[in-house]
């Protein structure tokens, strides 16, 4: 049987090509060589607000990690490195990692000989986020928090100037990796 061409060859670019081009254009728009300026994504105050919001979000996530470590000391080996990265993210966005780092030190230093954190482990323990009693659920909750934050940061990329967009994209990718590791740890 001879090979025949379809009756009508579609003209113009295909849907897949258009989607790939649009995605590439969006990435290139966020990856300019120019420093952050009012010309790339609006007023500098909008970038400052986005940076401050990202720092607050990372600080709140670090507090969730600290609370989970205090509630489940057996998970500390898994959670401490991830929490350390989240504190670095806070600092990268211009937030202070000092309060978060000191909270972690006081939580880890207050564990008693039985491996449980004492009730007076941290003066602001009453203000720390609630942690489920089940370790699997605690890990799942942290994974969901990381995933939700990574999703919000990914959606915000197109509205940010170049350098801040690159930083946000990198930290959103790290958050997605954290969510994966936490999900694997919950198995």
């Amino acid at each position: 049987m001879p090979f025949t061409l379809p009756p009508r060859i579609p003209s113009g670019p295909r849907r897949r090509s258009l989607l790939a081009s649009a995605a590439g254009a969006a990435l290139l728009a966020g990856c300019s060589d120019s420093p952050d300026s009012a010309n790339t994504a609006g007023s500098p105050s909008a970038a400052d607000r986005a940076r401050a919001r990202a720092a607050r979000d990372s600080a709140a996530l670090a507090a969730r990690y600290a609370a989970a470590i205090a509630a489940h000391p057996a998970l500390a080996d898994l959670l401490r490195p991830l929490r350390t990265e989240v504190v670095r993210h806070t600092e990268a966005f211009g937030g202070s990692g000092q309060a978060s780092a000191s909270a972690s030190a006081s939580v880890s230093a207050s564990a008693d000989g039985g491996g449980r954190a004492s009730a007076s482990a941290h003066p602001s323990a009453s203000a720390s986020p609630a942690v489920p009693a089940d370790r699997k659920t605690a890990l799942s909750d942290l994974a969901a928090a990381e995933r939700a934050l990574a999703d919000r940061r990914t959606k915000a990329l197109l509205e940010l100037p170049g350098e801040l967009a690159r930083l946000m994209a990198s930290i959103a990718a790290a958050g997605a990796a954290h969510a994966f590791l936490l999900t694997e740890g919950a198995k």
Side-chain angles (χ1 to χ4, degrees):
M1 178 167 186
F3 175 76
T4 59
L5 292 174
R8 181 177 169 263
I9 297 175
S11 62
R14 295 215 159 85
R15 191 176 339 170
R16 201 175 283 178
S17 300
L18 286 175
L19 290 174
S21 298
L27 286 174
L28 288 175
C31 296
S32 67
D33 284 337
S34 64
D36 294 345
S37 68
N39 295 340
T40 57
S43 69
S45 62
D48 291 342
R49 285 192 308 268
R51 188 179 291 273
R53 182 176 44 252
R56 282 191 310 270
D57 289 345
S58 290
L61 187 58
R64 288 185 76 155
Y65 273 101
I69 291 169
H72 302 286
L75 296 175
D77 288 342
L78 171 66
L79 298 180
R80 247 188 224 113
L82 300 176
R83 186 189 175 286
T84 299
E85 289 302 312
V86 172
V87 169
R88 287 184 185 144
H89 299 163
T90 303
E91 294 167 348
F93 285 123
S96 171
Q98 294 298 80
S100 298
S102 64
S104 176
S106 67
V107 166
S108 61
S110 66
D112 64 17
R116 293 186 194 114
S118 62
S120 61
H122 185 2
S124 65
S126 62
S128 54
V131 178
D134 178 48
R135 291 187 333 188
K136 268 186 154 179
T137 306
L139 287 174
S140 295
D141 285 359
L142 277 173
E146 283 275 15
R147 201 173 297 111
L149 185 55
D151 289 347
R152 282 197 314 269
R153 287 176 172 167
T154 301
K155 288 178 185 174
L157 286 177
L158 292 177
E159 299 169 12
L160 299 174
E163 285 301 316
L164 182 55
R166 284 188 277 277
L167 175 64
M168 188 79 74
S170 175
I171 292 176
H178 290 181
F180 173 77
L181 293 171
L182 290 165
T183 302
E184 289 298 307
K187 288 183 180 177

